[in-house]
DNA sequence: CGTTAGTTTGAGGCAGATCAACTTTGGTGG
DNA sequence: CCACCAAAGTTGATCTGCCTCAAACTAACG
């Protein structure tokens, strides 16, 4: 089955590609979602930033996926802020053109629905997990998820903490314990997980 | 715009209506989602139940909405358990027929996508909220949300707690404080919110 | 090398979970 | 209509995970 990104790729060729450096905003919460973004390269994080400055990493996007499709279908206002986590290349398609393409090609709308259904499952599993697991367990699970899914990215303690709903300090401490148990190896700022499956087993148990 | 429920209503007439009493399961986590459910009456809760028995109320369904659409689009396995919170009446449409109708009527698929987009926003807002707000604030927000959205239902402390990611005891204590401040009035097991907007203001501030 | 972003470590405090015992409610059936 | 009882709600005492604040350290990059 064709992905939403692939189905829109040819239409995107008509538009210029934009570059973002680490830390740059692709869009911000509250803005109108006038564009659908096609991410060609790099890693982008979708963040919720609260009044008190506390940040939550809601979703992570890698190459060959779309951004802002959810907002466009839900009232046209961004509910969160998309920030480049590494150098990123993306193309913006006008909202109206995106909707016209969806209208003309129901199979792409179906692909989009499936993506939303999957994202909703993942979000709801996270809601339940906060109550269900300790901070250590959540960090361990986040490490495995982020590392396996986006191995090329240099995940920081802060990013891991914001994804696992805990603090940077707790994250550091948990990673230290995992290192002591041989489940994590630090090399400068980078780290590796020699046995991700074992790590998950021990974390959940 | 036509809702998904309305679009499927005529097709549902071919199938018998089933009744559920409070506490009965409509479907369970892990089961295959062979049916789309049309809820005609009553309130249904979608729960995540962890190994340790801890329950989380993920979503609430009222009359004239569908259940299991997310699962059907996402691999066909239920990721949570649907339980009747009051006497409920619902009709099951076979998965295959549901998919055939979606295929024939893209406008219904669009309505479904919009619903998923909205549910995803609500779920992600909840993820951020757990870190962002105290237990008291979450309880206050849950009270307003549940009471205004489903005024006919007699929400129990347990249900409110499982929706606001806290415990029954905390929920009781918070409600006691709100009563002392005149923002909540108990009448036996029922309660009323004389000034929901004020309650929200004070809770968030 | 200087500078900044990222990481580590320690000490202290508290929100809220947990456990336990008790009270109230409201539906049921005798 | 009343007595009963299971489900729901309340209250208090205790305990702890992890957040918070602070301060020093270190990697990486221009």
């Amino acid at each position: 089955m064709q992905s939403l990104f692939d189905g829109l790729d040819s239409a995107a060729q008509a538009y210029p590609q934009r570059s973002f450096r680490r830390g740059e905003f692709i869009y911000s919460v509250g803005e109108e979602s006038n564009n659908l973004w096609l991410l060609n390269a790099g890693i982008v994080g979708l963040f919720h930033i609260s009044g008190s400055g506390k940040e939550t990493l809601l979703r992570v996007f890698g190459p060959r996926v779309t951004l802002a499709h959810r907002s466009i279908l839900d009232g046209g206002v961004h509910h969160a802020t998309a920030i480049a986590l590494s150098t990123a290349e993306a193309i913006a398609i006008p909202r109206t053109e995106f909707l016209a393409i969806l209208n003309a090609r129901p199979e792409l709308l179906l692909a989009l629905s499936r993506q939303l259904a999957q994202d909703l499952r993942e979000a709801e599993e996270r809601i339940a997990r906060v109550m269900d697991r300790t901070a250590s367990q959540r960090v361990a699970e986040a490490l495995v998820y982020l590392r396996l899914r986006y191995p090329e990215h240099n995940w920081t303690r802060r990013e891991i903490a914001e994804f696992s709903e805990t603090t940077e300090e707790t994250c550091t401490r948990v990673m230290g314990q995992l290192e002591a148990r041989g489940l994590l190896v630090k090399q400068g700022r980078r780290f590796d997980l020699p046995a991700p499956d074992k790590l998950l087993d021990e974390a959940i148990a």
Side-chain angles (χ1 to χ4, degrees), chain A:
Chain A
M1 178 171 169
Q2 194 179 31
S3 78
L4 182 59
F5 180 96
D6 289 343
L8 295 167
D9 208 9
S10 63
Q13 301 310 316
Y15 299 94
Q17 177 160 278
R18 284 199 49 189
S19 282
F20 299 88
R21 276 167 302 177
R22 172 169 172 81
E24 282 194 278
F25 286 28
I26 287 96
Y27 54 77
S28 295
V29 61
E31 289 176 8
E32 284 193 21
S33 40
N34 294 319
N35 294 298
L36 182 85
W37 291 91
L38 299 208
L39 183 57
N40 286 312
I43 307 284
V44 172
L46 182 70
F47 291 88
H48 180 278
I49 305 175
S50 82
S52 58
K54 200 177 275 285
E55 297 192 6
T56 306
L57 177 48
L58 294 173
R59 264 183 277 161
V60 181
F61 302 96
R64 304 188 70 79
V65 301
T66 62
L67 285 75
H69 47 265
R70 196 215 59 78
S71 305
I72 291 173
L73 286 176
D74 179 36
V77 173
H78 293 297
H79 80 313
T81 299
I83 307 179
L85 298 182
S86 68
T87 304
E89 311 283 338
I91 295 178
I93 298 181
R95 189 188 91 253
T96 48
E97 181 168 350
F98 168 55
L99 290 171
I101 293 173
L102 281 188
N103 199 49
R105 301 184 55 189
E107 81 276 14
L108 290 185
L109 180 55
L110 182 59
L112 174 52
S113 300
R114 293 204 154 121
Q115 182 66 54
L116 289 169
Q118 186 185 322
D119 289 343
L120 180 55
R121 173 172 49 76
E122 291 189 15
E124 291 185 330
E125 285 171 353
R126 274 177 77 180
I127 292 173
R129 192 150 37 210
V130 174
M131 290 288 89
D132 211 46
R133 303 246 201 277
T134 64
S136 309
Q137 291 171 326
R138 294 200 309 275
V139 169
E141 289 172 348
L143 283 169
V144 172
Y145 177 90
L146 294 173
R147 200 95 195 76
L148 296 193
R149 197 126 150 186
Y150 306 96
E152 73 277 22
H153 185 64
N154 235 315
W155 294 101
T156 65
R157 307 292 183 272
R158 171 190 282 262
E159 285 160 2
I160 296 161
E162 289 176 355
F163 189 76
S164 50
E165 331 262 1
T166 182
T167 59
E168 219 174 311
E169 295 93 327
T170 295
C171 202
T172 292
R173 284 183 248 263
V174 170
M175 287 173 75
Q177 289 161 13
L178 291 176
E179 192 183 25
R181 292 206 272 152
L183 295 166
L184 184 149
V185 180
K186 291 182 195 167
Q187 328 180 36
R189 239 163 228 179
R190 269 192 98 75
F191 62 89
D192 271 311
L193 306 178
D197 43 351
K198 197 178 166 200
L199 172 51
L200 266 192
D201 277 356
E202 299 205 10
I204 292 170

